[in-house]
Amino acid sequence: MTRVLAGPYCTQILGDLGADVIKIEHPTRGDDTRAWGPPYARYIDEDKEGPGESAYYLAVNRNKRSLGLSFAHPAGVDILHRLVKDSDVLVENYLPGALEKYAMDYKTLSQINPGLIYASITGYGQTGPYSDRAGYDVMVEAEFGLMHITGTRDGPPVKVGVAVTDLTTGLYTSNSIMAALLSRIKSGKGQHIDVALSDCQVATLANIASSALISGKPDTGRWGTSHPSIVPYKAFKTFDGDILLGGGNDRLYGVLCTRLGKPEWITDARFNTNALRVQNRGTLEELIEHETRKKTTHEWLKVLEGCGMPYAAINDIQSTLTHEHVLARGMVKEVEHPACGPMKLVNTPVKWSSSKPSIRMPPPILGQHTDEVLSDTLGMSKEEISGLRVEGVVA
């Protein structure tokens, strides 16, 4: 019972790992992201209404079955209660208390199924002064520090290029669900998991938060691609693009100087320790970029190959998705969509020695599995399902 990103990302992870995920969607509009385009994967059938399936929706809804259902109708709630009775996990991302009026709150459902793992994903959690606020990734990035430390040194705060707080929250939730299932093996009892974007955002401030807590001082602000305490460690302009160089210690700094054709910088009194390089950051970075601008990014990649120092080209998304390493690792997979035909999706990232997580099912069209779930899982007759469809309970 989730839509948009954090919840669907969580349940997609569970689906990749083999869970049978039933996605409950509004019977007419479905998940909000179905309308978030362009781009859309176009329908094969030119007579089918609509622009197609949105790329946003397709990104986080594989390995799921879609049940179009309105739980504003008592018959819809009854269907959900019947599904809950035999389910292991329910994931929802409604405002705290919003599902209580539909008898879909944890207190009610835990009486139907005491072993149920009930995961609630919200912007600000089930408690606290902000708990009634609607939570969106970009607002949480702003409110809880991430935006303040993201961007160029002298530029304005900016959001991360992908909704990383939503994704982090989805990861935390899927991990917590797995732990709760292990706990249930011992106790026989389910539990309510309260996951907030705000909490996950604070947690993922990691060493930046630790530095502020330990020092008691304000953070050091935005650093762009630079590192506050390591030099050289940033992106530099090349003749035709950018390259990231990481001279993280004195040895690696020496490697960089040698590959740049400037071995004299290794013993330069201004730069021969990291502390001095940090102190003279501007001067050294200017000298390095003067050299990197002389060759193309590809030429520098050849120069640096095998040097042992971390380095990387800065690629756009299309270049990433056609990158030889990405393809060699099987991170792009073609699947057959029932309405749009062949399409490429990003694959599940973790490789296992014996288990084989995979894309078993393409992202479903709205209500694609309604009849299947109601008949096969709940044992409803065709006549019952037809009557519910006429009443607008299911689609």
Side-chain angles (χ1 to χ4, degrees):
M1 296 176 67
T2 67
R3 60 267 193 235
V4 187
L5 188 52
Y9 190 61
C10 162
T11 53
Q12 177 170 274
I13 291 169
L14 298 176
D16 288 352
L17 296 176
D20 176 12
V21 180
I22 300 172
K23 182 178 180 69
I24 307 299
E25 300 191 71
H26 188 278
T28 56
R29 63 176 180 268
D31 188 310
D32 296 349
T33 60
R34 287 186 180 276
W36 289 9
Y40 294 92
R42 295 188 177 277
Y43 295 131
I44 298 171
D45 183 354
E46 295 181 357
D47 295 329
K48 187 174 175 61
E49 292 185 7
E53 297 289 298
S54 82
Y56 197 121
Y57 168 82
L58 294 170
V60 288
N61 286 289
R62 63 175 179 253
N63 289 333
K64 302 177 188 180
R65 296 192 287 167
S66 173
L67 168 57
L69 180 142
S70 171
F71 51 85
H73 194 290
V77 174
D78 179 64
I79 289 170
L80 290 176
H81 283 183
R82 292 169 66 182
L83 286 171
V84 161
K85 186 177 180 181
D86 295 317
S87 294
D88 294 296
V89 179
L90 185 148
V91 187
E92 59 91 6
N93 66 344
Y94 291 82
L95 280 171
L99 291 179
E100 187 174 349
K101 64 181 178 181
Y102 301 109
M104 287 300 297
D105 55 299
Y106 175 67
K107 183 178 180 181
T108 301
L109 298 189
S110 63
Q111 293 172 0
I112 297 172
N113 180 355
L116 182 70
I117 309 301
Y118 187 115
S120 296
I121 299 174
T122 58
Y124 302 94
Q126 302 295 308
T127 61
Y130 284 13
S131 61
D132 288 338
R133 280 194 187 187
Y136 292 89
D137 177 281
V138 68
M139 280 61 176
V140 174
E141 284 191 41
E143 187 89 19
F144 296 97
L146 182 58
M147 196 176 289
H148 174 72
I149 59 171
T150 305
T152 57
R153 188 70 181 138
D154 300 316
V158 299
K159 71 180 181 69
V160 178
V162 67
V164 67
T165 305
D166 273 334
L167 300 176
T168 300
T169 303
L171 284 162
Y172 267 113
T173 307
S174 62
N175 196 38
S176 299
I177 287 168
M178 299 300 285
L181 288 168
L182 289 172
S183 175
R184 191 180 70 180
I185 293 172
K186 296 180 179 180
S187 69
K189 297 179 181 179
Q191 58 185 302
H192 187 198
I193 300 172
D194 171 11
V195 191
L197 270 70
S198 57
D199 295 342
C200 294
Q201 177 51 67
V202 173
T204 51
L205 290 173
N207 59 298
I208 304 298
S210 183
S211 295
L213 289 170
I214 298 304
S215 70
K217 297 178 181 179
D219 63 79
T220 57
R222 293 177 285 284
W223 286 94
T225 61
S226 299
H227 194 286
S229 51
I230 302 173
V231 174
Y233 200 98
K234 70 181 290 287
F236 294 92
K237 288 289 183 185
T238 66
F239 183 79
D240 63 348
D242 301 89
I243 192 166
L244 197 71
L245 303 174
N249 57 37
D250 292 343
R251 183 185 68 81
L252 294 175
Y253 168 66
V255 170
L256 175 61
C257 293
T258 301
R259 294 294 172 121
L260 289 174
K262 295 292 180 178
E264 65 271 20
W265 291 353
I266 299 172
T267 54
D268 190 309
R270 298 169 295 174
F271 312 134
N272 59 9
T273 68
N274 183 65
L276 288 168
R277 292 193 292 275
V278 171
Q279 184 178 330
N280 296 293
R281 176 191 300 269
T283 301
L284 179 56
E285 290 178 345
E286 187 175 333
L287 287 170
I288 292 172
E289 189 155 285
H290 180 74
E291 298 304 313
T292 59
R293 284 181 177 273
K294 295 177 181 179
K295 290 183 172 68
T296 66
T297 300
H298 183 69
E299 288 172 331
W300 280 119
L301 292 176
K302 285 188 172 182
V303 168
L304 294 166
E305 187 174 355
C307 71
M309 184 198 74
Y311 63 93
I314 297 180
N315 292 317
D316 63 19
I317 303 303
Q318 284 292 352
S319 298
T320 296
L321 296 173
T322 56
H323 194 289
E324 61 177 349
H325 189 75
V326 171
L327 298 180
R329 293 285 292 172
M331 283 307 299
V332 175
K333 184 174 181 179
E334 187 170 285
V335 301
E336 187 71 25
H337 189 274
C340 303
M343 66 171 57
K344 291 180 179 179
L345 299 175
V346 172
N347 202 0
T348 182
V350 181
K351 279 67 178 174
W352 303 61
S353 62
S354 57
S355 302
K356 300 295 180 186
S358 64
I359 302 179
R360 305 181 309 281
M361 301 165 59
I365 58 177
L366 177 58
Q368 180 181 341
H369 304 96
T370 296
D371 287 18
E372 176 183 305
V373 171
L374 297 183
S375 61
D376 296 351
T377 306
L378 299 184
M380 297 179 71
S381 68
K382 289 183 178 180
E383 291 73 23
E384 287 179 287
I385 297 171
S386 179
L388 291 169
R389 188 167 276 118
V390 169
E391 292 181 43
V393 179
V394 301

